[in-house]
């Protein structure tokens, strides 16, 4: 689910009935953040999917 939007990831997890937790991370330096959140890391802990998400900063190279 890395690089998926948070909305897509949550929808997929909920339809599969998988428990999840969302952790929001922010850049250390000041940056212009956009509203849309993306999954940057996915881990499995004790049967739960843990998604680390960050806002798109508008300067990523895809």
């Amino acid at each position: 689910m890395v690089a998926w939007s948070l909305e897509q990831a949550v929808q997929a997890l909920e339809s599969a009935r998988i428990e999840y937790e969302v952790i929001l991370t922010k850049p250390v330096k000041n940056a212009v953040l956009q509203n849309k959140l993306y999954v940057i890391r996915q881990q499995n802990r004790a049967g739960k999917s843990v998604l680390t998400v960050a806002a798109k900063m508008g300067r990523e190279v895809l």
Side-chain angles (χ1 to χ4, degrees), residues 14-50:
E14 287 180 349
S15 67
R17 297 181 185 197
I18 297 173
E19 288 186 52
Y20 64 91
E21 177 183 344
V22 176
I23 299 172
L24 176 64
T25 186
K26 299 176 187 175
V28 176
K29 296 180 181 180
N30 292 338
V32 176
L33 301 177
Q34 296 180 6
N35 292 336
K36 195 152 185 161
L37 297 174
Y38 289 90
V39 178
I40 59 170
R41 183 179 191 185
Q42 180 184 12
Q43 298 174 297
N44 293 314
R45 293 186 199 157
K48 184 191 300 186
S49 187
V50 180

